[in-house]
Amino acid sequence: MSKAAVHVGLDQPLEVRDDIEVAAPKAGELKVRIAASGVCHSDLSVQNGTIPLPPPIVLGHEGAGVIEEVGEGVTGFEVGDHVVLTFVPECGECFFCSRDQGFMCEKAAMLNMGGMLDGTKRLSSGGQDLSVMAGCGTFSEVTVVPSISAVKIDKDVPLKIAALLGCGVQTGVGAAMNTANIRKGDTVAVIGCGGVGLNVIQGARIAGAERIIAVDMVESKLQLAKEFGATDFVNAGEGNPVAAVQALTNGRGADVAFEVIGLGPTIEQAMQMTRGGGETVLVGVPRMDVMLNVNPAFSFIYTAKTVKGCWYGSSNVHREVPKLLELYKSGELKLDELISREITIDDVNGAFDAMKSGEVARSVIVY
Ligand code: APR
Ligand code: ZN
Ligand code: ZN
């Protein structure tokens, strides 16, 4: 039996149940006892329908833990190994993985349906099968994942720190270091300084940006942004952030602007605050009905801007996770500072509330 937080219906609080049956891993799968899971905005986005995944589903896609059972045919993992779970797998064999675009791995589509790679489910409650978010389901004490969704890590890395690599860190740092083309001395703007945006900020710093303009509506987030390397601050609640960024850049705009919230108006702002010839990187996940407006086509062409979609920080997880842990060990990457609160699974709905009010960078469930 496992305890887990289950999304049961649109806009309803997650139900924390302690009767979850966890089946044995099948071929190619691992049973993992989760040690910690971050609570990400994308979890809330499932609850409120922004990301439409049908209930009942165990949420959580940013976690790390210890392997309890290894399915048939799995190589490279043993019981007791520590792993980070990744919400995009890297199968290493498909069209995209073989082209160094693991973040587009073809196996992800199947996992996004809520089951394992064969379409069947391993978690159930009261006789009813439960889906798991993105092949992970880290809001469960114990879960089953395909082995291609796990990356083995050294045992000296605290698991609550490792958990953050599963989504926010990999997405944010990757957006700056992999997706964007930041040049030494660049000025970048980051709209949204939550768990993901703070990582874009530190990624931009490591990539060599000289000025990093943090944009948020919550003053405490701008303070945090400073700790992560931001040099200039715009409170979006106090006037037009596009004008503010232009004023800070001789009227030109930022070399690279990131949107890390997922709202139509802030996506437009990011495109507008990008200088001619610069790059806009869209990281936040919007509702399905949000449109990207590049009209009139003439000005899009004339200003020679590039707009890039960023999925999972353009990461190849087997290379990215060790790289990020090296940066952490060398002191360049701040991870401890991302954890605002450690909570229990019983407090997961409170963590959603804290996120809505913008109080926290990350709440982390510690099991
Ligand atoms: N202008 C500026 N800042 C805003 C605005 C706005 N209009 N609206 C919200 N914000 C800020 C919030 O104050 C908060 O600091 O955006 C931040 C969002 O942070 P989180 O809620 O912590 O979200 P996070 O987990 O960082 O995810 C951001 O990335 O992976 C995706 O699905 C995820 O779309 C989400 C995005
Ligand atoms: Zn996430
Ligand atoms: Zn693949």
Side-chain angles (χ1 to χ4, degrees):
M1 289 283 185
S2 170
K3 191 167 180 177
V6 187
H7 166 61
V8 291
L10 211 56
D11 292 326
Q12 291 180 45
L14 300 190
E15 267 181 25
V16 180
R17 299 183 187 168
D18 52 16
D19 68 340
I20 311 290
E21 302 269 4
V22 184
K26 288 194 184 173
E29 297 171 358
L30 300 167
K31 185 185 268 190
V32 179
R33 181 164 290 274
I34 302 296
S37 171
V39 180
C40 172
H41 208 107
S42 295
D43 299 304
L44 177 63
S45 293
V46 176
Q47 188 205 33
N48 67 27
T50 301
I51 299 176
L53 298 179
I57 178 169
V58 174
L59 300 185
H61 59 282
E62 183 180 275
V66 181
I67 296 180
E68 245 182 31
E69 208 177 323
V70 177
E72 203 189 302
V74 175
T75 54
F77 294 100
E78 284 173 23
V79 171
D81 280 349
H82 289 197
V83 287
V84 170
L85 302 187
T86 63
F87 77 84
V88 179
E90 185 186 354
C91 78
E93 290 167 357
C94 73
F95 176 90
F96 297 97
C97 285
S98 59
R99 279 160 187 77
D100 213 27
Q101 291 184 315
F103 53 97
M104 291 276 96
C105 179
E106 283 173 6
K107 296 279 165 46
M110 200 64 211
L111 299 180
N112 288 334
M113 307 290 286
M116 294 290 100
L117 291 168
D118 66 359
T120 62
K121 297 173 185 172
R122 302 290 168 268
L123 269 51
S124 62
S125 148
Q128 185 185 34
D129 276 350
L130 299 173
S131 296
V132 294
M133 187 171 176
C136 295
T138 58
F139 288 178
S140 179
E141 284 170 335
V142 181
T143 188
V144 174
V145 303
S147 65
I148 57 172
S149 301
V151 180
K152 192 169 148 175
I153 57 166
D154 289 344
K155 290 185 178 161
D156 62 354
V157 181
L159 285 165
K160 63 183 181 196
I161 296 298
L164 302 174
L165 298 178
C167 176
V169 177
Q170 218 167 164
T171 302
V173 176
M177 297 188 73
N178 303 330
T179 315
N181 180 25
I182 294 177
R183 281 172 272 210
K184 228 176 162 43
D186 269 358
T187 296
V188 312
V190 180
I191 311 181
C193 305
V196 183
L198 292 169
N199 282 300
V200 175
I201 290 172
Q202 60 176 339
R205 174 175 48 73
I206 296 167
E210 190 173 302
R211 287 177 73 200
I212 301 170
I213 307 170
V215 184
D216 204 288
M217 301 205 306
V218 177
E219 205 52 49
S220 63
K221 286 295 175 52
L222 295 175
Q223 299 290 334
L224 259 179
K226 188 172 186 181
E227 275 182 50
F228 283 81
T231 57
D232 297 79
F233 307 90
V234 171
N235 188 325
E238 292 173 355
N240 179 352
V242 176
V245 168
Q246 277 162 347
L248 289 165
T249 52
N250 294 322
R252 253 195 324 265
D255 299 303
V256 183
F258 296 87
E259 199 278 356
V260 205
I261 308 168
L263 296 173
T266 44
I267 288 173
E268 288 212 359
Q269 288 167 8
M271 286 161 61
Q272 287 164 5
M273 65 174 65
T274 303
R275 70 164 167 83
E279 265 184 6
T280 313
V281 182
L282 303 181
V283 185
V285 182
R287 296 188 77 90
M288 294 294 163
D289 56 0
V290 172
M291 298 294 142
L292 198 59
N293 181 7
V294 292
N295 289 321
F298 170 79
S299 54
F300 182 64
I301 293 157
Y302 181 65
T303 57
K305 294 184 189 181
T306 303
V307 179
K308 282 183 178 173
C310 168
W311 190 242
Y312 211 14
S314 308
S315 297
N316 294 284
V317 298
H318 288 102
R319 197 167 66 219
E320 198 72 12
V321 168
K323 181 180 106 182
L324 292 167
L325 287 174
E326 278 307 309
L327 287 168
Y328 171 64
K329 286 178 182 167
S330 72
E332 278 196 86
L333 196 66
K334 292 177 190 283
L335 299 181
D336 300 84
E337 295 80 352
L338 283 169
I339 303 179
S340 317
R341 290 181 188 172
E342 289 182 27
I343 62 166
T344 66
I345 185 77
D346 296 299
D347 291 332
V348 66
N349 290 298
F352 277 181
D353 292 338
M355 184 181 289
K356 284 183 222 163
S357 67
E359 291 165 44
V360 292
R362 269 292 188 263
S363 299
V364 175
I365 299 167
V366 179
Y367 291 96

